[in-house]
Amino acid sequence: MDAPWRQVAAGRGRARGRATAVPLSGNGVPFGGAGGGRAKGSGGAVSSGPGPGGAAALAPAGRGQRSAGGEAPQPPGARGEDGSELMSQKKFEEIKKSNQAAARKLLEEHCSSSSEEEGDEDLEGKQGKIVANTFTTYTTHTDGDIHELERTKQYLNEAFQAGAMTCLICIASVKRNQAVWSCSGCFCIFHMPCIQKWAKDSQFLVSSVTDDDFGKKDYPWPCPKCRFEYKRSETPSRYYCYCGKVEDPPLDPWLVPHSCGQVCEREFKPSCGHKCLLLCHPGPCPPCPKMVTTTCYCKKAKPIPRRCSAKQWSCQLPCGRKLLCGHHKCENPCHAGNCQPCPRVSRQKCVCGKKVAERSCASPVWHCDQVCGKTLPCGNHTCEQVCHVGACGECPRSGKRSCPCQKSKFSLPCTEDVPTCGDSCDKILECGIHRCSQRCHRGPCETCRQEVEKQCRCGKHTKRMPCHKPYLCETKCVKMRDCQKHQCRRKCCPGNCPPCDQNCGRTLGCRNHKCPSVCHRGSCYPCPETVDVKCNCGNAKVTVPCGRERTTRPPKCKELCSRPPTCHHASQEKHRCHFGPCPPCHQPCQKVLEKCGHLCPESCHDQALVKQTGRHQPSGPWEQPAEPAFIQTALPCPPCQVPIPVECLGKHEVSPLPCHAVGPYSCKRLCGRMLRCQNHTCMKECHKVTEVDSSTGKNKAGPECFHCEEGCSKSRPAGCPHPCVLPCHPGKCPPCVQMLRIKCHCKITSLYVECRKITTADVSEKNLLSCCKNQCPKELPCGHRCKEMCHPGECPFNCNQKVKLRCPCKRIKRELPCNKVRENQVSVECDATCKEMKRKASEVKEAEANAALEEEKRRQQAELEAFENRLKGRRKKSRKRDEVAVELSPWQKYKSYLLPVCAVVVAVLMWYIFHGVD
């Protein structure tokens, strides 16, 4: 995969510039016809593809390019007919508008984000949800600490940020729909074709150093960033997700790019037996969040639950383990690994015991710089070793010793030197071919001086010369070095040409630097430099690989813009750092208005955009009309809108009016002032009123108000149905003197009374006026007529008429007043005669009842005997059905005699039985 600048340099006919404009001919068709290159630039005016300005824009131009006969169209105005000229002009305008719309749409698409890059707000909201879903299992299921995910979160943010993920091999952005490979050492992401080519080239370069082992050894290949080495078998051949579970993971806008969306389940590093709980993610796995029970380093404290990633802990108690010196104990807090050397100092003897010095207790064994000097067992020589341990050993000159040529051995005292044997030395010389021809001698042998036929290193020339001298010819090597660009040019080269030592100097993919390495084959390493893409003020920056600064968006800066204001305000509104001109000032103008002296409350209008008028008009259809231009100018302050309290004409209310519109006004209400009649108000709309008497207030009508012409409408006294005969007047109405017809209390007689007497009378007077002086015709509850005179309400219940009253047995009769009888105040009681008569009557009734009871018993007995006779089958012939013959049985006749006899017999039998048994 070539870098973008290589594709441009290849000359494939693609215009990739940002604002590459395609020149148009007079009828809107680009020069070069339909066979021209495709315009991919954002500012291209015409496109031959299916884009916005493709066939739709070229079709009208193609139709207008040639006539039906194949001739070129004539310019407007060359034809004679006005209709054809207007038609050509109309078509020309349509083609021009379509081309302009296509160019504007392409420009907007370029200025906006690419097809992969979403809006900032949508991207931030979606990114937050995806990151939260990725970390849900880690933070919820295991209660993991979110601060331990900062490094992983950084990789996730880079995966979402446009241009942040860059392939260091081709210096191009890594798209979401491209196959990628991630390094397991530095977690850097590369394009799959790029890393495959990199691995192949790296193995070829290493294996082609010598011709002997070319292609025979399995050479590793390194990661372009961290140089982590991989085997040839580990060369990526398939596209997998980050966790390696899914091959060719589908593109999902709600997942991390190149992720499968499943749980990662990769083992933590260092391995602890647990697996990662995040969803498939880029970058390293976070620390293990599992809880394990573990003890401290020194094993003294009780085991406590801790995170698996931080299960090693110190109880901070003294270690207490014995140090290597064997005398002291470790005083450091509980720690991991071996204890530190003993920090104390003590006086210690050397190995030979001649010197004593203060030394660190951690290194008690030491050697001084004095020679041993002890006499050897031979008694003639002393030990020449420096401060050693143990015995000095035997004398090195004792026993059998060889001569210098090692051919003869002699047994001599240690005080005598070994003589030479006189034989030839015969040792191999430095040349490794010939031997020394001198007699046995002490010291090194001389150099070889024999003349031999020598061949140079490159094997092209031979020469006879002394054996100890090397032979190098003057022939220069013409082989190509490993860079395959320069010759070896070394004299008498044996064939293993050294690597090229010249500087590569090729321009790297960033187009900013040159390769600093020695001359080599294949592609150069990616540029190691990084560039900071800064915001306008330089406080916020994003570090990107060199070469990506031209296509990387500047970062969002949270600092405030520090540019001076361009309006009359002392300071501008607070807004973040940005490129281009500052936004319009929205602060209140606060200028002092000339007419009223108030401050202008509107937003700042010192630099308002105003459409420019009176511009040059196009002289013909071939001249393209320019867009309406806007110029910045200071607008005058608007009319003052400060509310001023102003009273209306009728002095009904005080309303706030804008300062520029202050003046007399009508509130549109009714006047409402009290007229002279003191009964009605003025019905005119709010108007100016001349105050006659200021002491009476604002409610009195003036000469400008209405004059009342209505009749009196005051309410009449209760009960008076007659209206007032006077016109509308102040004060009370006169008493009513008309006659009023009323009914008396009995509702029988009609009476005529003056209205004023009725309305002014009280209750008792009204009762007298309504009385007809006749007896009341109403009937009392007792049935007698009321004896009172015509009266209101219910009749009094005091009837004194005589009524007859009898005793309970109705024998005694008396006459008493009706009201006493009704109130049960008197009564008539029965005397002794009445009681005797009642007793006799009760005895007669009792005798009759007893007789009836006896008769009922006899009847029931007769029915019983008749029923028994029918059961026995007896039939008594009786002439009279009403008579029944009753005949007693023997038992009924003699039972009174038989019962005692039977009792006596039973008693005798019982006595006999008991006494007979005994």
Side-chain angles (χ1 to χ4, degrees):
M1 182 176 181
D2 295 334
W5 59 270
R6 293 185 183 274
Q7 296 177 1
V8 174
R12 297 182 182 179
R14 299 180 182 178
R16 291 181 177 265
R18 287 196 176 187
T20 305
V22 179
L24 301 176
S25 60
N27 55 359
V29 180
F31 290 113
R38 291 178 292 174
K40 283 195 176 183
S42 301
V46 180
S47 173
S48 62
L58 290 177
R63 288 196 302 267
Q65 195 170 5
R66 293 183 178 274
S67 61
E71 298 178 358
Q74 298 178 359
R79 300 181 181 180
E81 299 179 359
D82 295 339
S84 60
E85 183 178 356
L86 292 175
M87 184 65 67
S88 301
Q89 178 71 17
K90 186 175 181 181
K91 289 183 178 180
F92 178 81
E93 293 293 336
E94 291 178 356
I95 296 171
K96 183 173 63 175
K97 289 181 180 179
S98 63
N99 289 339
Q100 290 177 357
R104 191 180 297 108
K105 189 171 184 180
L106 286 174
L107 184 60
E108 291 176 356
E109 289 181 355
H110 177 77
C111 295
S112 61
S113 58
S114 63
S115 59
E116 292 184 354
E117 300 168 359
E118 305 173 358
D120 294 336
E121 297 180 358
D122 297 341
L123 180 62
E124 291 178 0
K126 184 185 291 185
Q127 178 179 348
K129 293 180 181 178
I130 297 175
V131 173
N133 293 335
T134 306
F135 295 157
T136 297
T137 310
Y138 185 90
T139 56
T140 304
H141 294 188
T142 62
D143 194 19
D145 189 2
I146 195 66
H147 296 290
E148 297 179 353
L149 301 173
E150 292 298 333
R151 188 179 178 193
T152 307
K153 192 174 182 180
Q154 180 180 359
Y155 280 92
L156 289 177
N157 293 333
E158 290 181 356
F160 285 109
Q161 185 179 357
M165 294 178 58
T166 305
C167 178
L168 297 181
I169 299 176
C170 64
I171 317 297
S173 297
V174 177
K175 306 297 182 182
R176 298 185 179 184
N177 56 352
Q178 293 177 335
V180 297
W181 175 83
S182 178
C183 176
S184 59
C186 61
F187 304 99
C188 188
I189 294 178
F190 305 91
H191 291 120
M192 183 65 72
C194 295
I195 197 64
Q196 290 175 344
K197 186 176 183 297
W198 175 272
K200 184 177 180 181
D201 292 348
S202 300
Q203 293 172 357
F204 176 78
L205 290 176
V206 175
S207 61
S208 62
V209 174
T210 59
D211 295 334
D212 297 336
D213 57 358
F214 177 76
K216 296 180 180 179
K217 296 183 180 180
D218 187 7
Y219 292 102
W221 56 275
C223 169
K225 183 178 180 181
C226 65
R227 304 302 177 186
F228 183 80
E229 292 188 349
Y230 294 90
K231 297 180 182 179
R232 175 179 292 181
S233 59
E234 295 176 347
T235 302
S237 59
R238 296 181 180 180
Y239 169 40
Y240 287 94
C241 62
Y242 296 113
C243 63
K245 292 180 182 178
V246 179
E247 182 179 355
D248 296 330
L251 177 62
D252 192 340
W254 287 100
L255 290 178
V256 181
H258 317 293
S259 170
C260 63
Q262 303 179 19
V263 180
C264 178
E265 292 186 349
R266 287 184 289 182
E267 291 189 0
F268 290 107
K269 292 181 181 180
S271 179
C272 62
H274 303 129
K275 295 182 179 180
C276 180
L277 301 177
L278 298 182
L279 300 184
C280 182
H281 61 92
C285 297
C288 181
K290 294 285 186 178
M291 298 297 292
V292 295
T293 303
T294 179
T295 184
C296 63
Y297 295 113
C298 64
K299 311 297 182 184
K300 293 180 181 179
K302 293 182 179 180
I304 60 174
R306 289 180 62 86
R307 297 279 180 198
C308 183
S309 58
K311 59 184 176 181
Q312 303 293 339
W313 62 284
S314 172
C315 63
Q316 299 301 322
L317 296 176
C319 176
R321 285 186 286 183
K322 193 170 255 188
L323 299 176
L324 296 178
C325 66
H327 300 289
H328 307 105
K329 293 183 178 180
C330 181
E331 298 178 355
N332 293 331
C334 175
H335 59 85
N338 297 328
C339 298
Q340 295 181 359
C342 183
R344 300 189 181 184
V345 177
S346 60
R347 294 182 62 83
Q348 301 172 2
K349 291 183 179 181
C350 64
V351 173
C352 64
K354 292 183 178 180
K355 286 188 176 182
V356 178
E358 289 187 353
R359 293 178 53 83
S360 174
C361 190
S363 57
V365 180
W366 63 286
H367 299 268
C368 64
D369 54 355
Q370 292 188 4
V371 179
C372 178
K374 292 183 181 179
T375 302
L376 297 177
C378 65
N380 299 322
H381 301 95
T382 57
C383 181
E384 298 179 356
Q385 298 181 20
V386 177
C387 188
H388 62 88
V389 182
C392 297
E394 297 293 333
C395 181
R397 297 170 63 91
S398 62
K400 290 186 177 181
R401 290 180 289 171
S402 300
C403 62
C405 66
Q406 302 294 326
K407 292 181 179 180
S408 300
K409 292 186 178 181
F410 299 92
S411 296
L412 297 173
C414 62
T415 56
E416 297 182 7
D417 294 333
V418 178
T420 58
C421 64
D423 198 353
S424 60
C425 178
D426 205 24
K427 290 181 181 179
I428 300 296
L429 298 177
E430 293 180 357
C431 63
I433 301 174
H434 306 100
R435 294 180 179 273
C436 181
S437 59
Q438 295 181 357
R439 291 184 179 274
C440 181
H441 58 89
R442 293 184 178 87
C445 299
E446 61 181 7
T447 57
C448 183
R449 300 184 180 277
Q450 295 187 23
E451 289 189 357
V452 293
E453 190 75 21
K454 276 197 171 186
Q455 192 176 18
C456 63
R457 285 189 309 183
C458 63
K460 295 182 179 180
H461 304 279
T462 57
K463 184 178 181 181
R464 193 166 186 83
M465 58 185 306
C467 183
H468 70 279
K469 291 184 177 181
Y471 175 39
L472 299 176
C473 67
E474 297 296 327
T475 303
K476 294 182 179 180
C477 181
V478 296
K479 288 184 178 180
M480 301 297 291
R481 297 195 179 187
D482 56 353
C483 64
Q484 297 297 317
K485 294 181 181 180
H486 305 102
Q487 291 182 343
C488 178
R489 306 303 294 170
R490 188 173 60 164
K491 292 183 179 180
C492 196
C493 180
N496 54 346
C497 302
C500 184
D501 55 356
Q502 297 187 31
N503 191 15
C504 176
R506 285 187 293 181
T507 303
L508 298 178
C510 65
R511 310 300 295 171
N512 296 328
H513 304 95
K514 293 185 178 181
C515 181
S517 305
V518 295
C519 191
H520 56 86
R521 288 185 61 184
S523 301
C524 300
Y525 282 137
C527 181
E529 300 293 334
T530 57
V531 181
D532 293 338
V533 178
K534 299 182 179 180
C535 64
N536 188 32
C537 66
N539 290 329
K541 63 180 181 179
V542 176
T543 302
V544 297
C546 183
R548 292 289 298 172
E549 67 275 6
R550 291 183 291 272
T551 58
T552 303
R553 288 183 177 180
K556 288 185 178 180
C557 181
K558 297 183 179 180
E559 298 294 332
L560 298 178
C561 179
S562 58
R563 295 179 182 178
T566 56
C567 58
H568 68 278
H569 292 100
S571 61
Q572 61 179 349
E573 289 182 304
K574 294 182 179 180
H575 59 278
R576 293 184 179 179
C577 172
H578 60 90
F579 289 93
C582 293
C585 180
H586 296 287
Q587 300 181 70
C589 178
Q590 297 297 313
K591 287 183 179 180
V592 179
L593 301 177
E594 297 179 358
K595 295 182 179 180
C596 58
H598 294 121
L599 299 179
C600 179
E602 297 295 327
S603 59
C604 183
H605 44 79
D606 286 352
Q607 293 181 337
L609 290 177
V610 179
K611 187 176 181 181
Q612 189 176 5
T613 58
R615 302 191 65 201
H616 172 69
Q617 298 296 328
S619 59
W622 56 87
E623 184 177 352
Q624 186 174 4
E627 296 292 334
F630 293 87
I631 58 175
Q632 286 187 346
T633 181
L635 298 178
C637 293
C640 182
Q641 299 293 333
V642 175
I644 303 297
V646 180
E647 192 175 24
C648 65
L649 293 172
K651 300 183 179 180
H652 300 106
E653 64 177 18
V654 177
S655 299
L657 296 180
C659 183
H660 71 279
V662 170
Y665 77 101
S666 173
C667 63
K668 304 301 180 181
R669 297 181 183 178
L670 296 179
C671 177
R673 290 176 176 264
M674 185 63 65
L675 300 178
R676 293 181 180 180
C677 65
Q678 300 296 320
N679 298 323
H680 302 93
T681 57
C682 180
M683 302 301 293
K684 277 187 177 182
E685 189 179 302
C686 177
H687 59 90
K688 184 178 181 181
V689 180
T690 303
E691 297 290 345
V692 179
D693 187 4
S694 60
S695 61
T696 57
K698 301 180 180 179
N699 293 328
K700 188 174 181 180
E704 295 84 5
C705 295
F706 277 132
H707 297 282
C708 182
E709 297 178 355
E710 298 182 5
C712 181
S713 60
K714 291 182 180 180
S715 60
R716 304 299 290 165
C720 179
H722 311 107
C724 181
V725 296
L726 299 178
C728 186
H729 60 86
K732 295 182 180 180
C733 297
C736 182
V737 295
Q738 295 189 30
M739 300 302 290
L740 186 65
R741 181 183 179 182
I742 61 174
K743 288 284 185 180
C744 67
H745 299 300
C746 305
K747 307 298 182 183
I748 296 175
T749 306
S750 297
L751 303 176
Y752 292 90
V753 184
E754 286 187 2
C755 184
R756 63 180 179 178
K757 293 182 179 180
I758 292 294
T759 56
T760 58
D762 55 3
V763 177
S764 58
E765 292 177 355
K766 285 183 179 180
N767 292 336
L768 292 175
L769 291 174
S770 300
C771 181
C772 63
K773 310 299 181 179
N774 296 323
Q775 184 183 357
C776 180
K778 295 180 182 178
E779 194 176 88
L780 298 177
C782 60
H784 304 119
R785 184 179 175 182
C786 180
K787 300 295 183 179
E788 299 290 333
M789 194 180 294
C790 179
H791 62 86
E794 297 293 335
C795 296
F797 190 56
N798 53 356
C799 182
N800 295 323
Q801 190 172 350
K802 299 293 184 176
V803 294
K804 293 180 179 181
L805 187 64
R806 293 178 180 270
C807 68
C809 63
K810 309 295 182 181
R811 190 181 67 83
I812 302 174
K813 180 176 67 174
R814 291 183 183 179
E815 288 186 358
L816 298 172
C818 182
N819 55 353
K820 291 185 178 181
V821 174
R822 297 285 294 179
E823 295 175 0
N824 294 327
Q825 293 181 359
V826 293
S827 62
V828 179
E829 301 292 337
C830 294
D831 55 0
T833 305
C834 295
K835 293 180 181 179
E836 183 65 25
M837 293 176 65
K838 186 183 286 187
R839 185 183 62 79
K840 289 181 179 180
S842 64
E843 288 179 355
V844 172
K845 286 184 179 180
E846 186 177 355
E848 291 178 355
N850 290 337
L853 184 60
E854 290 294 335
E855 183 66 25
E856 182 68 21
K857 287 183 179 180
R858 285 195 300 270
R859 187 181 62 79
Q860 291 179 358
Q861 183 66 27
E863 289 180 356
L864 178 62
E865 290 178 358
F867 180 71
E868 289 177 354
N869 292 336
R870 283 196 299 271
L871 291 176
K872 293 178 181 180
R874 296 178 181 180
R875 251 174 152 184
K876 293 185 180 183
K877 297 179 181 180
S878 178
R879 293 180 182 180
K880 295 181 180 180
R881 295 180 180 179
D882 297 334
E883 297 179 358
V884 178
V886 179
E887 190 173 336
L888 300 176
S889 62
W891 170 257
Q892 291 178 348
K893 293 180 180 180
Y894 304 106
K895 64 180 180 180
S896 60
Y897 305 104
L898 291 177
L899 285 175
V901 175
C902 291
V904 172
V905 172
V906 172
V908 172
L909 287 175
M910 292 297 292
W911 182 87
Y912 177 77
I913 290 171
F914 286 106
H915 286 78
V917 174
D918 296 335

Short mmCIF file of all heavy atoms in Angstrom, two decimals, residues 240-247 260 262-266:
data_model
loop_
_atom_site.label_atom_id
_atom_site.label_comp_id
_atom_site.label_asym_id
_atom_site.label_seq_id
_atom_site.Cartn_x
_atom_site.Cartn_y
_atom_site.Cartn_z
N TYR A 240 -8.01 -10.34 12.19
CA TYR A 240 -8.76 -10.73 13.38
C TYR A 240 -9.08 -9.49 14.21
O TYR A 240 -8.45 -8.43 14.06
CB TYR A 240 -7.95 -11.71 14.24
CG TYR A 240 -7.85 -13.11 13.65
CD1 TYR A 240 -6.76 -13.47 12.86
CD2 TYR A 240 -8.85 -14.05 13.90
CE1 TYR A 240 -6.67 -14.74 12.32
CE2 TYR A 240 -8.76 -15.33 13.35
CZ TYR A 240 -7.68 -15.67 12.56
OH TYR A 240 -7.59 -16.93 12.03
N CYS A 241 -10.05 -9.65 15.12
CA CYS A 241 -10.34 -8.58 16.06
C CYS A 241 -9.22 -8.48 17.10
O CYS A 241 -8.26 -9.26 17.07
CB CYS A 241 -11.70 -8.81 16.75
SG CYS A 241 -11.78 -10.32 17.71
N TYR A 242 -9.35 -7.57 18.04
CA TYR A 242 -8.29 -7.35 19.02
C TYR A 242 -8.06 -8.58 19.89
O TYR A 242 -6.92 -8.92 20.20
CB TYR A 242 -8.63 -6.15 19.91
CG TYR A 242 -8.71 -4.84 19.18
CD1 TYR A 242 -9.91 -4.16 19.05
CD2 TYR A 242 -7.57 -4.27 18.61
CE1 TYR A 242 -9.99 -2.96 18.38
CE2 TYR A 242 -7.64 -3.06 17.93
CZ TYR A 242 -8.85 -2.41 17.82
OH TYR A 242 -8.92 -1.22 17.16
N CYS A 243 -9.13 -9.25 20.28
CA CYS A 243 -8.96 -10.41 21.16
C CYS A 243 -8.68 -11.68 20.39
O CYS A 243 -8.39 -12.71 21.01
CB CYS A 243 -10.21 -10.59 22.03
SG CYS A 243 -11.73 -10.94 21.11
N GLY A 244 -8.76 -11.68 19.07
CA GLY A 244 -8.40 -12.83 18.26
C GLY A 244 -9.48 -13.88 18.15
O GLY A 244 -9.20 -15.00 17.70
N LYS A 245 -10.74 -13.58 18.51
CA LYS A 245 -11.80 -14.58 18.44
C LYS A 245 -12.49 -14.61 17.09
O LYS A 245 -12.81 -15.68 16.59
CB LYS A 245 -12.84 -14.31 19.54
CG LYS A 245 -12.35 -14.52 20.95
CD LYS A 245 -13.47 -14.22 21.94
CE LYS A 245 -12.99 -14.38 23.36
NZ LYS A 245 -14.05 -14.05 24.33
N VAL A 246 -12.73 -13.46 16.52
CA VAL A 246 -13.54 -13.36 15.30
C VAL A 246 -12.64 -12.95 14.14
O VAL A 246 -11.85 -12.00 14.26
CB VAL A 246 -14.68 -12.33 15.49
CG1 VAL A 246 -15.49 -12.21 14.21
CG2 VAL A 246 -15.56 -12.73 16.65
N GLU A 247 -12.74 -13.69 13.06
CA GLU A 247 -12.01 -13.35 11.84
C GLU A 247 -12.88 -12.43 10.99
O GLU A 247 -14.09 -12.66 10.83
CB GLU A 247 -11.67 -14.62 11.07
CG GLU A 247 -10.87 -14.36 9.80
CD GLU A 247 -10.54 -15.64 9.06
OE1 GLU A 247 -10.84 -16.72 9.61
OE2 GLU A 247 -9.98 -15.55 7.96
N CYS A 260 -14.96 -7.08 18.05
CA CYS A 260 -16.04 -8.04 17.83
C CYS A 260 -17.19 -7.82 18.79
O CYS A 260 -18.27 -8.39 18.62
CB CYS A 260 -15.52 -9.46 17.95
SG CYS A 260 -14.88 -9.88 19.59
N GLN A 262 -17.41 -8.91 21.86
CA GLN A 262 -17.49 -9.95 22.88
C GLN A 262 -16.53 -9.63 24.01
O GLN A 262 -15.69 -8.73 23.92
CB GLN A 262 -17.16 -11.32 22.27
CG GLN A 262 -18.06 -11.70 21.11
CD GLN A 262 -17.68 -13.06 20.53
OE1 GLN A 262 -17.01 -13.86 21.18
NE2 GLN A 262 -18.10 -13.31 19.31
N VAL A 263 -16.63 -10.43 25.10
CA VAL A 263 -15.71 -10.25 26.22
C VAL A 263 -14.30 -10.65 25.79
O VAL A 263 -14.11 -11.65 25.09
CB VAL A 263 -16.17 -11.10 27.43
CG1 VAL A 263 -15.22 -10.91 28.60
CG2 VAL A 263 -17.58 -10.70 27.83
N CYS A 264 -13.31 -9.87 26.18
CA CYS A 264 -11.94 -10.04 25.71
C CYS A 264 -11.39 -11.42 26.08
O CYS A 264 -10.97 -12.19 25.22
CB CYS A 264 -11.06 -8.93 26.32
SG CYS A 264 -9.32 -9.05 25.86
N GLU A 265 -11.38 -11.78 27.37
CA GLU A 265 -10.94 -13.08 27.88
C GLU A 265 -9.49 -13.38 27.55
O GLU A 265 -9.09 -14.54 27.48
CB GLU A 265 -11.84 -14.19 27.36
CG GLU A 265 -13.26 -14.12 27.91
CD GLU A 265 -14.09 -15.31 27.50
OE1 GLU A 265 -13.65 -16.07 26.62
OE2 GLU A 265 -15.19 -15.48 28.05
N ARG A 266 -8.67 -12.35 27.34
CA ARG A 266 -7.23 -12.60 27.23
C ARG A 266 -6.62 -12.68 28.62
O ARG A 266 -7.09 -12.01 29.55
CB ARG A 266 -6.57 -11.47 26.43
CG ARG A 266 -6.86 -11.51 24.94
CD ARG A 266 -6.10 -10.42 24.20
NE ARG A 266 -6.64 -9.10 24.49
CZ ARG A 266 -6.18 -7.98 23.95
NH1 ARG A 266 -5.17 -8.01 23.11
NH2 ARG A 266 -6.72 -6.82 24.26
#
